[in-house]
């Protein structure tokens, strides 16, 4: 039997973080009490709004946004330390939070950011909630970092994509983590691959590319690459290597690099500190910046959380004992 007090760790992953909203909705509907929440990036945003009692109002807003609305809100800047300043988004968040302090929240809360100078995590457990969230969501190269007390702060997911540590000592019946960097449609190994730098004819590697690219790139992007090299079996564009595919932007490379890094870090950190219940959202469920697709991601979070709780607890009634080995949905 299991009790209803849950300590929640919410992961980073851009727009995929809307799945956290669906997960919290399911916990509420089933009568679970969130007694602590820690988050990185979008996990810090959604977790902070929940702790402040403002998540419902925020959800009502984001689920109405279309792609044009999102582009207006992102406040793009071609100069500075990030492509987006997010001033318009932050103005809306300020309206919701109204100066609330972390230490005054009814739920213990931790926002995780990364101090680039010290190369270490920063856990915000007091002070203005808005500042803590802003520090935690500063995706490197994309969202402008901020300075707090002499620290240059960026996204918490750089070092801790799913922050289990802040909730491990909480008096809860079980811990639950939501990972937004799950794998789908392709196998990701942890060991290095030995490869020759010599160019080989396309027929030797096209099938491998097709398998490895599935779930990482969009289908039309994969198709364009396959058609480009399938036309000829001769040497490619450069005598030593091929240029990147046409249409690949700096943002694409940044997102893919960060996703690869966060996926590996998450696997290692969750192996060291596994939650009792793990909800895994596929890293390719939507793109990192698809903030106009909130409604469908909320529903995905609901479905995955319901399945994870059913898998872990089934029809168990509320009780005082906590299961020792709870399965995870992966």
């Amino acid at each position: 039997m299991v009790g209803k007090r849950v300590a929640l760790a919410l992961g980073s992953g851009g727009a995929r973080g809307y799945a956290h909203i669906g997960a919290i909705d399911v916990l509420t509907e089933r009568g679970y009490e969130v007694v602590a929440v820690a988050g990185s990036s979008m996990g810090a945003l959604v977790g902070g709004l929940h702790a402040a009692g403002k998540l419902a109002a925020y959800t009502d807003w984001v689920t109405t946004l279309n792609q044009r609305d999102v582009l207006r809100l992102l406040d793009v800047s071609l100069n500075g330390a990030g492509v987006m300043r997010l001033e318009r988004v932050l103005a809306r968040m300020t309206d919701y939070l109204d100066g609330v302090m972390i230490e005054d929240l009814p739920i213990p809360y931790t926002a995780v950011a990364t101090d680039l100078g010290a190369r270490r995590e920063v856990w915000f457990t007091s002070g203005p909630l808005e500042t803590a969230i802003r520090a935690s969501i500063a995706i490197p190269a994309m969202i402008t970092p901020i300075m707090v007390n002499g620290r240059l702060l960026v996204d918490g997911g750089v070092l801790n994509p799913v922050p289990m540590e802040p909730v491990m000592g909480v008096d809860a019946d079980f811990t639950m983590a939501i990972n937004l960097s799950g794998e789908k449609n392709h196998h990701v190994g942890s060991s290095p691959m030995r490869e020759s730098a010599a160019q080989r004819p396309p027929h030797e590697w096209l099938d491998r590319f097709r398998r490895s690219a599935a779930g990482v790139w969009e289908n039309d992007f994969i198709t364009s690459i396959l058609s480009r090299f399938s036309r000829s079996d001769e040497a490619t564009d450069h005598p030593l290597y091929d240029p990147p595919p046409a249409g690949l932007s700096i943002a694409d490379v940044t997102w893919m690099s960060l996703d690869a890094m966060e996926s590996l870090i998450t696997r290692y950190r969750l192996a060291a500190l596994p939650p009792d219940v793990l909800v895994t959202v596929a890293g390719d469920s939507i793109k990192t910046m698809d903030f106009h697709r909130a409604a469908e991601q909320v529903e995905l979070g609901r479905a995955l959380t319901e399945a994870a709780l059913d898998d872990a607890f089934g029809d168990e009634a509320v009780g005082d004992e906590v299961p020792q080995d709870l399965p995870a949905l992966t």
Side-chain angles (χ1 to χ4, degrees):
M1 302 228 178
V2 66
K4 293 277 188 172
R5 294 164 54 84
V6 54
L8 202 54
L10 304 179
S12 62
R16 295 191 299 274
Y18 287 137
H20 297 320
I21 298 174
I24 291 172
D25 285 347
V26 169
L27 290 171
T28 302
E29 291 166 5
R30 295 194 177 193
Y32 291 98
E33 179 190 2
V34 177
V35 295
V37 60
S40 287
S41 197
M42 274 294 284
L45 173 61
V46 173
L49 287 164
H50 174 67
K54 303 296 184 180
L55 186 56
Y58 174 80
T59 303
D60 289 342
W61 173 53
V62 297
T63 51
T64 65
L65 298 177
N66 58 37
Q67 194 166 18
R68 181 174 295 180
D69 295 329
V70 171
L71 290 174
R72 290 195 190 104
L73 287 166
L74 290 181
D75 200 18
V76 175
S77 171
L78 299 180
N79 299 313
V83 176
M84 292 168 283
R85 293 188 296 266
L86 295 189
E87 297 302 326
R88 298 186 182 113
V89 174
L90 293 174
R92 191 64 178 256
M93 191 168 64
T94 298
D95 292 339
Y96 288 128
L97 297 179
D98 194 27
V100 67
M101 306 293 281
I102 296 174
E103 57 268 34
D104 295 330
L105 294 172
I107 300 173
Y109 168 82
T110 304
V112 178
T114 300
D115 181 343
L116 288 182
R119 301 182 183 182
R120 63 190 301 180
E121 297 172 41
V122 175
W123 293 5
F124 287 107
T125 57
S126 63
L129 176 58
E130 178 185 343
T131 301
I133 291 173
R134 176 61 180 86
S136 186
I137 65 174
I139 301 172
M142 301 307 298
I143 298 176
T144 309
I146 64 171
M147 295 286 294
V148 177
N149 297 325
R151 300 182 186 276
L152 181 62
L153 300 172
V154 297
D155 197 303
V158 170
L159 293 180
N160 199 348
V162 186
M164 283 294 300
E165 294 85 349
V167 301
M168 290 302 291
V170 174
D171 181 17
D173 296 311
F174 66 97
T175 56
M176 178 173 172
I178 303 177
N179 169 26
L180 305 178
S181 301
E183 312 301 342
K184 183 179 180 181
N185 296 333
H186 64 289
H187 173 72
V188 176
S190 58
S191 58
M193 293 181 292
R194 296 184 182 276
E195 178 63 273
S196 169
Q199 285 281 66
R200 298 197 301 272
H203 78 267
E204 294 186 14
W205 53 261
L206 279 175
D207 285 343
R208 174 179 54 78
F209 170 80
R210 184 184 291 107
R211 292 191 303 271
S212 63
V216 178
W217 285 326
E218 298 290 325
N219 287 334
D220 56 351
F221 193 52
I222 296 172
T223 300
S224 69
I225 297 175
L226 293 175
S227 62
R228 169 185 167 192
F229 288 104
S230 296
R231 287 192 295 268
S232 173
D233 202 32
E234 302 299 323
T236 51
D237 299 345
H238 191 282
L240 294 179
Y241 55 83
D242 295 315
L248 189 67
S249 68
I250 293 174
D252 291 329
V253 175
T254 300
W255 302 137
M256 292 167 66
S257 301
L258 290 172
D259 281 345
M261 178 188 72
E262 289 188 4
S263 177
L264 183 62
I265 293 173
T266 298
R267 279 188 284 156
Y268 282 123
R269 297 198 73 144
L270 289 182
L273 283 175
D276 297 314
V277 178
L278 176 62
V279 178
T280 300
V281 178
D284 61 348
S285 56
I286 60 174
K287 292 182 179 179
T288 306
M289 295 301 292
D290 280 351
F291 290 104
H292 59 288
R293 299 173 64 182
E296 64 183 89
Q297 200 68 6
V298 170
E299 289 307 309
L300 177 61
R302 289 183 60 89
L304 293 172
T305 302
E306 288 172 347
L309 291 171
D310 290 344
D311 189 38
F313 305 134
D315 296 326
E316 292 183 8
V318 178
D320 295 325
E321 296 181 7
V322 180
Q324 296 301 308
D325 297 300
L326 300 177
L329 179 71
T330 57

